Amino acid sequence: MTVEQAVFAIAAVACMVGALITVTHRDPRTAGAALMVTLVGLAVLYAALAAPTVAAVVILVALFATVPLVVYMSVPAARAHTVDGPAVAGAAVIIGTAVLAILIAAIEFGEVPVNVSLRSSDGYDLAALRELLGGRSAAAAAGSVLLVAASLAAVHAARRDRRRPR
Amino acid sequence: MTTTAYLIVGAILFATGALGTLIRTSAVGRLVGVELMLAAATLTFAAAAVGFRELDGQVAALAVICVAFAHALVGFTLAAGPRRPE
C-alpha cells in the first residue's frame, strides 16, 4: 500500500464514520465533534486530489461556521436576549451575490479570473448524460430511487409510532 | 487512487447527509444533513476535475463551498434566533 492509498483510506473512513455519527448521535457536542472530523477528513481528501485551495477554503469554513455552531450548541447560555450587531443574513446575501456575479461573468466571457475556461467543447457532458439515461447507470439510478423511497417509508413509520398515544 | 474511489466516498457522504435530513426532527440537524450533501457534491466536483484533467471542477467546488457557507450562515442564524413570545 502506498502513502497516497493509506492517506486516502484513513481520510475516507474518518469522513464516513464522522458523517454517520453526526446524523445519528443525539448529543450536540458529539455530533459537532464528528462534523469537525468529517470536514478535516474532506480537507485531506481535497489535498490528495491536488486541490489545496479547496482544502484551505473548507478549513476556513469549518473554523468560521462549524466551530461557532458547535460552541453555541454545547455551551449553555441565556437565550432570552435580543440580537444586536451586524446582520449575518446580510453577509450571506453579499457572499451569494458575489458568487453569482462571478458565475455570470464566467458564463458570459467563457472564463473565470483563475484562467480556467468553462466552455468545454469536447461533449463529455452530453456523453455523461447519455450514459446516465441508459446502460449500467440506469440500474444505479433505479436503486437510488428505491433507497430514497425506503428511507421515506422508514421515516413515516417511525413518526407514526411516535404519534401513537401510549 | 482512482477517481472512482473518491466518487464512491462522495456517494456515501451524500446518502448519509440525505439520511440525516430525513430522520432528524430539529432544524439544526436537518441543516447539517444538507451541509453534508453539499460537501459530498464538492468532493465529486473535485474528483471529476482530476478525472477529466481540467480545473473546471475545482472552480465549481469553490462555488459550491461559498453557497454552502452562505446557506449555513442564514440557516443557523434563523434556527438559533430569538423565539417569538407565544
Side-chain angles (χ1 to χ4, degrees), chain A:
Chain A
M1 178 180 280
T2 64
V3 174
E4 183 189 358
Q5 289 174 340
V7 169
F8 170 78
I10 294 171
V13 168
C15 274
M16 290 185 284
V17 171
L20 197 60
I21 294 174
T22 302
V23 300
T24 55
H25 218 278
R26 292 293 177 183
D27 185 16
R29 288 169 293 184
T30 306
L35 183 61
M36 287 300 300
V37 169
T38 303
L39 290 176
V40 171
L42 275 173
V44 172
L45 288 177
Y46 292 140
L49 283 169
T53 307
V54 180
V57 171
V58 167
I59 293 295
L60 288 175
V61 168
L63 284 175
F64 287 106
T66 310
V67 170
L69 172 69
V70 171
V71 170
Y72 175 81
M73 296 298 291
S74 306
V75 177
R79 306 288 168 92
H81 61 274
T82 57
V83 177
D84 291 328
V88 179
V93 170
I94 292 173
I95 292 172
T97 305
V99 170
L100 185 62
I102 291 174
L103 289 177
I104 290 174
I107 293 170
E108 178 64 30
F109 297 111
E111 60 182 21
V112 294
V114 294
N115 220 17
V116 173
S117 174
L118 290 179
R119 288 184 183 168
S120 176
S121 59
D122 56 2
Y124 68 83
D125 49 350
L126 295 177
L129 187 60
R130 274 189 230 108
E131 176 71 23
L132 183 66
L133 294 178
R136 295 169 293 177
S137 299
S144 303
V145 170
L146 286 175
L147 186 61
V148 169
S151 302
L152 287 173
V155 169
H156 176 71
R159 287 187 173 167
R160 188 182 57 192
D161 291 339
R162 196 179 297 171
R163 273 194 233 111
R164 271 191 203 149
R166 296 184 179 177

